Structures are given as C-alpha cells and as structure tokens.
C-alpha cells in the first residue's frame, strides 16, 4: 500500500536559511513528502542550521539530541542536517553523532531528494558539502517557490567576499555572486501576478549587487526597476554593508515612494580602532555621514543595526564610543551580540583576554540604552494613524489581523479578512514590546 511520507523541518538563522527552507519544502513535496508540524509524526527530520555564533551552533546539537530517542524508537527515521553548521562541520557531524544519517551543505540544497533516496534505499549515511562553481550556482539560484503570501523574499545575491574578521559567513556560504537582474525582475513580476504586495530583496550584502558583473545594473538601478513593477506596493532590502551604501542608493530613499522608510545598517562598533580590527572598511565618521545623508533625503527614515559587544581587545573607551554612536543615531532597534570566536576567522586568532563578566556587563548597558530609545519610538506612536500593509490573520486569535508599518513594526487590530493585501490607515492605541495594538478607522 502506498503511504505518503512525512517530513519535519526546523529552520534557524537568517533569511538566507528561510529561503533555502522554502526550497527544501518545495523539493520534498515534489518527491512525495508531506510537511508535518510534529517531529514525532515524521519519517524524515531536517534541521536547517546557523553557525554565525557559538550559541546558534550549540542549539543545533541540543535539538539533535532531543531527536535521538525518536530515532532509537524508530530506526527507519531519517535525521538530516543542512545549512551553515553542516557546511562548517561536515564529516565531524557524522563522526560526533552516530545516529545522524545525512549532512548537506549550503550549496547542496538541490541534491536533497537524491540524497534522501540514497539513505532510504541503501541505509547509507550521506555527506555532501562541496562548494559549486559560479556557473552551476547561477543556474541553481533560489527561485520563486509556491505560495500566495502578501510579503515575499527575493534573493538577489548570495555569498560574501568581505571577510570581516569575526564572521563565518564567507567560509560557510562561499564567494559572492549576483543573480542576473533580468531574472530578479521576472521573479518580482511573477510574484506580483500571484498577489504579492511587498518584496524584500535579500542577500548577504545587497549593496554590492552587480559590482563584479560587467554590464550588470547597480543595486540602486535594480531597485528603481523593481519600483516600476505594477502591483508591488512596498519594497525592502537587507542586508546592507555601510561601506557599499552608495549616494545613489541613499537618494532612492528620497525618490522611491514604494521603498519603505527603514534601513538595517549594521554598524558593529562605534570605535574606529575596533572597526579597523574588524576589517569593516569604514570609520565612525564615514558611517555617521551616511546616516546624516539618509536623514537628509528622507527625514522620517528609521534605522536598525547589529552591534557586537566585547570584540577582542575592546577597551572601556571603545565601548563608550559605541554607546555615543547609538545616542547620535538613535536606532529604532539594535540586535546586539556578545562576541563569539568562530573557527577559521581572523578574530579567532587575536588575543582575547576580556573577562566574560565584563562582556556581559557591557552587553547589559547597551541593552538598557537601546531599550530607552526603542521605548521612546514605541510610545511616540500611540495616537498616530499609520499606513499598514495587512499581511494576514494575527497569531493572537480570531478576528484579529496583523500587518506592518513602513518601519516594519507589527500592528495587530480587529478587522475582516478581506483587508488582507491592502494598505490601510490604522490608529495606534497601545504599545507592546514587539508589536502595537491598533483600531481600524474609516470603517
Ligand atoms: N560573534 C558575535 N556576533 C557575530 N555576528 C556575526 N559574527 C559574529 C560573531 N563571531 C553578528 C553580527 C552580524 C549578525 C548577523 O551577527 O552583528 O551583523
Ligand atoms: Fe547564520 Fe550566517 Fe548562515 Fe545566515 S548565513 S544562517 S546568519 S551563519
């Protein structure tokens, strides 16, 4: 008797992994698998992993440990690991975890059905972590997957050539490649045709899009062409490296109506000495100058950032520079991380004698300062009427809808599902940490 096979997929990390997971779902569905919400019901369990910090990596081992009893109870269960930990650890994962069946790297998602078949058929453990050449990668670029959501991600480039001294990404995602602009634009048109209203153009560093391809559009030029596509009403992009944020791209925030007034512009540190050690390629002043220009062309733009606390050799003065930069920029939100040495990176070789307690104390001070700023933004919103793109039903319950403002804040409010996909005015009545409550007006 034919039995439909079931898979369970867990995704960690950034949008690149989210997009890869969409592709995994597509591929597995096409090979006869159905996705389930409970790992206990699955014949195949996959983890798409992140290794950007040690904590993220350890989480993967923790989760795998939890699946071991399922595997003990059902030896036919297939357990696989993909993504950045798979790429980084490869063979070592199979050695460390005898109950693991399958390891596939960041360039090998397309091979998944074939690998799963191999494990099923021959009960053979599989490892596939080779990096592919540029031509093959271009042919395999993540493409539009099924779905009809209002907001969609479109991958425009992959990989990274920056080699910031703390970062594992270039090691686990490989060299930077840009997807041909014609393909990107076709995909956005297709998404618009199936009801998408907002696209987020993604890549490890979208600002350097096209730079290495003779004759290709620049990122700002690509953005202008996406802007011209009918049906798309909002555009976002991430992530931006400050050194590659061109004047032309800054001008887009003043010119392009559909471009949301939010930019994630990770600064990492406010100290020139640390920025240099991080090999970031900009100074505090050149960063702040770009922020000034952004605010000049688009006065209500809001910025978010990533900051690393306790980079090797960070002094109290260096840290004070980070806090003063935060006070100057006033970020809407900051994602802050305690420095974590990553294997194979330059920073992992640096002398690192900062006591853990000091790192933690700085981290707490940074969080407290950012919380003040975030709270000011949150509270200033109350009473305002903001334009919200309605994305779907909220997780809170029946009858409640959820959408976002141009600044990417989640707004929940009561309303009818026929508003999904529309941009509507909502009055903000209450602020929570990660969302606002609103009420519909003009209804
Ligand atoms: N330690 C701590 N944080 C890191 N990040 C990247 N590498 C490390 C590391 N080794 C942070 C950076 C980056 C974000 C995605 O993760 O702030 O922007
Ligand atoms: Fe994590 Fe970086 Fe991999 Fe994204 S690319 S999943 S952030 S290690």
């Amino acid at each position: 008797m034919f039995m439909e096979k079931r898979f369970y997929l867990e995704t960690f990390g950034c949008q690149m992994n989210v997009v890869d997971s969409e592709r995994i779902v597509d591929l597995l569905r096409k090979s006869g698998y159905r996705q389930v919400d409970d790992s206990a019901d699955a014949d195949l369990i996959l983890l798409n992993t992140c290794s950007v910090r040690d904590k993220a990596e350890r989480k993967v081992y923790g989760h795998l440990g939890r699946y071991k009893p399922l595997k003990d109870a059902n030896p036919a269960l297939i357990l696989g690991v993909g993504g950045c930990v798979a790429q980084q650890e490869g063979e070592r994962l199979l050695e460390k975890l005898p109950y693991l069946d399958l390891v596939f790297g960041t360039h090998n998602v397309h091979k998944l059905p074939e690998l799963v078949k191999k494990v099923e058929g021959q009960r053979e453990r599989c490892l596939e972590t080779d990096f592919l050449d540029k031509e093959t990668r271009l042919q395999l670029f993540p493409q539009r997957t099924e779905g009809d959501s209002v907001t969609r991600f479109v991958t425009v480039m992959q990989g990274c050539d920056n080699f910031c001294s703390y970062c594992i990404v270039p090691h686990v995602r490989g060299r930077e490649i840009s997807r041909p602009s014609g393909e990107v634009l076709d995909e956005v048109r297709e998404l618009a045709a199936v009801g998408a209203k907002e696209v987020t153009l993604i890549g490890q560093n979208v600002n350097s899009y096209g730079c290495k391809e003779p004759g290709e559009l620049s990122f700002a030029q690509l953005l202008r062409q996406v802007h011209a596509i009918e049906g798309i009403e909002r555009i976002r992009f991430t992530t931006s490296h400050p050194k590659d944020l061109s004047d032309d791209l800054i001008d887009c925030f003043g010119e392009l109506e559909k471009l949301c007034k939010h930019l994630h512009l990770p600064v990492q540190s406010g100290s020139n000495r640390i920025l240099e050690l991080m090999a970031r390629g900009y100074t505090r002043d050149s960063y702040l100058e770009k922020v000034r220009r952004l605010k000049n062309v688009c006065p209500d733009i809001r910025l978010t950032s990533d900051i690393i606390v306790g980079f090797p050799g960070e002094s109290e003065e260096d840290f004070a520079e980070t806090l003063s930069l935060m006070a100057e920029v006033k970020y809407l939100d900051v994602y802050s991380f305690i420095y974590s040495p990553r294997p194979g990176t330059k920073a992992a070789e640096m002398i690192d004698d900062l006591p853990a307690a000091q790192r933690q104390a700085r981290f707490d001070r940074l969080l407290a300062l950012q919380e003040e700023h975030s709270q000011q933004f949150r509270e200033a919103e109350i009473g305002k009427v903001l334009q919200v793109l309605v994305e779907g039903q909220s997780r809170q319950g029946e009858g409640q809808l959820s959408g976002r403002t141009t600044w990417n804040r989640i707004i929940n409010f009561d309303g009818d599902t026929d508003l999904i996909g529309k941009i509507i005015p909502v009055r903000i009545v209450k602020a929570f940490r990660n969302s606002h409550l609103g009420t519909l007006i003009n209804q």
Side-chain angles (χ1 to χ4, degrees):
M1 192 181 79
F2 175 76
M3 278 270 289
E4 194 181 34
K5 288 172 291 184
R6 293 153 301 178
F7 74 98
Y8 175 78
L9 171 66
E10 238 182 318
T11 306
F12 303 86
C14 66
Q15 279 104 341
M16 306 308 275
N17 270 13
V18 173
V19 166
D20 283 346
S21 281
E22 284 177 10
R23 177 120 179 89
I24 290 174
V25 171
D26 251 20
L27 287 168
L28 289 177
R29 281 204 186 128
K30 282 180 189 136
S31 39
Y33 272 86
R34 179 167 63 87
Q35 191 169 17
V36 290
D37 295 333
D38 186 350
S39 54
D41 296 335
D43 308 290
L44 167 66
I45 297 179
L46 294 174
L47 268 67
N48 193 6
T49 63
C50 171
S51 66
V52 75
R53 286 170 295 278
D54 184 52
K55 206 163 142 192
E57 193 181 330
R58 268 183 292 144
K59 214 165 160 186
V60 171
Y61 287 98
H63 281 238
L64 281 168
R66 272 198 253 145
Y67 296 133
K68 185 174 181 296
L70 291 178
K71 177 85 185 185
D72 288 341
N74 172 17
L77 173 70
I78 299 175
L79 196 54
V81 175
C84 297
V85 177
Q87 189 63 47
Q88 180 192 302
E89 293 298 300
E91 182 98 53
R92 282 193 294 271
L93 269 171
L94 290 177
E95 283 164 11
K96 274 192 224 167
L97 306 170
Y99 54 92
L100 189 63
D101 300 291
L102 170 64
V103 174
F104 60 103
T106 55
H107 287 193
N108 306 103
V109 171
H110 64 290
K111 290 211 179 125
L112 189 59
E114 188 191 314
L115 295 170
V116 169
K117 264 211 186 86
K118 222 163 150 184
V119 180
E120 276 173 346
Q122 293 142 32
R123 290 313 312 174
E124 178 186 309
R125 302 175 86 201
C126 287
L127 171 75
E128 193 77 57
T129 52
D130 287 348
F131 273 162
L132 302 176
D133 61 47
K134 188 173 162 189
E135 290 314 307
T136 318
R137 286 174 75 198
L138 281 172
Q139 279 166 19
L140 291 169
F141 229 96
Q143 283 174 14
R144 181 167 89 78
T145 48
E146 278 174 34
D148 58 357
S149 30
V150 173
T151 59
R152 296 292 295 255
F153 292 135
V154 178
T155 313
V156 301
M157 51 91 66
Q158 281 188 321
C160 181
D161 288 348
N162 285 319
F163 288 95
C164 299
S165 64
Y166 52 81
C167 190
I168 195 131
V169 170
H171 306 268
V172 290
R173 289 264 165 193
R175 297 286 62 74
E176 180 178 310
I177 57 164
S178 294
R179 186 176 179 194
S181 49
E183 270 184 36
V184 172
L185 295 166
D186 281 347
E187 183 163 314
V188 177
R189 280 185 209 105
E190 286 170 28
L191 288 171
V194 295
K197 301 291 177 212
E198 175 183 300
V199 286
T200 303
L201 308 180
I202 65 164
Q204 235 76 51
N205 173 22
V206 292
N207 296 5
S208 66
Y209 174 85
C211 285
K212 287 167 187 153
E213 306 300 324
E216 185 50 280
L217 302 179
S218 70
F219 187 64
Q221 289 168 332
L222 179 69
L223 214 51
R224 290 198 169 92
Q225 298 214 7
V226 172
H227 193 263
I229 294 175
E230 226 171 283
I232 295 299
E233 292 176 31
R234 280 186 174 181
I235 306 168
R236 303 181 189 274
F237 60 86
T238 198
T239 289
S240 288
H241 193 308
K243 80 172 163 53
D244 299 313
L245 180 68
S246 65
D247 286 349
D248 196 16
L249 187 51
I250 291 175
D251 287 342
C252 287
F253 283 93
E255 284 168 30
L256 306 181
E257 233 174 81
K258 297 176 181 178
L259 184 59
C260 289
K261 298 178 193 311
H262 166 230
L263 178 63
H264 185 61
L265 194 62
V267 70
Q268 312 296 359
S269 168
S271 151
N272 280 332
R273 202 179 67 82
I274 298 295
L275 286 172
E276 173 105 39
L277 286 172
M278 287 177 164
R280 288 290 285 171
Y282 55 86
T283 61
R284 173 192 175 93
D285 283 348
S286 65
Y287 180 92
L288 287 172
E289 177 56 28
K290 289 191 184 189
V291 170
R292 270 191 291 276
R293 275 193 236 156
L294 280 162
K295 290 183 176 172
N296 223 356
V297 298
C298 181
D300 47 0
I301 194 166
R302 294 187 184 176
L303 302 175
T304 52
S305 195
D306 292 342
I307 294 180
I308 297 178
V309 177
F311 187 81
E314 185 189 72
S315 66
E316 194 50 42
E317 291 72 40
D318 293 318
F319 180 64
E321 295 267 283
T322 297
L323 295 183
S324 74
L325 181 133
M326 285 168 65
E328 202 165 329
V329 178
K330 271 239 177 154
Y331 292 109
L332 177 63
D333 256 315
V334 165
Y335 305 91
S336 46
F337 310 100
I338 291 182
Y339 169 72
S340 157
R342 304 283 60 215
T345 61
K346 277 225 175 82
E349 310 292 312
M350 295 177 188
I351 297 170
D352 183 15
D353 50 11
L354 209 64
Q358 205 163 358
R359 278 203 173 100
Q360 186 64 48
R362 285 182 193 165
F363 182 74
D364 294 344
R365 280 162 67 198
L366 188 147
L367 276 190
L369 175 63
Q370 184 50 43
E371 179 51 24
E372 271 177 40
H373 296 165
S374 295
Q375 195 181 357
Q376 284 167 18
F377 278 110
R378 286 201 297 267
E379 283 173 6
E381 234 71 303
I382 296 170
K384 283 187 192 163
V385 173
L386 301 177
Q387 295 296 317
V388 171
L389 170 59
V390 188
E391 292 179 11
Q393 284 178 290
S394 98
R395 285 194 227 145
Q396 313 300 318
E398 288 276 299
Q400 199 176 53
L401 299 175
S402 187
R404 280 169 204 263
T405 64
T406 189
W407 303 303
N408 216 19
R409 274 293 286 184
I410 296 173
I411 313 291
N412 295 315
F413 57 97
D414 287 341
D416 208 81
T417 47
D418 61 7
L419 293 173
I420 294 172
K422 300 201 169 99
I423 296 180
I424 53 161
V426 176
R427 186 180 304 281
I428 309 301
V429 293
K430 200 167 171 190
F432 300 103
R433 201 179 181 74
N434 295 314
S435 64
H436 278 95
L437 185 69
T439 53
L440 268 180
I441 60 169
N442 297 340
Q443 288 286 306

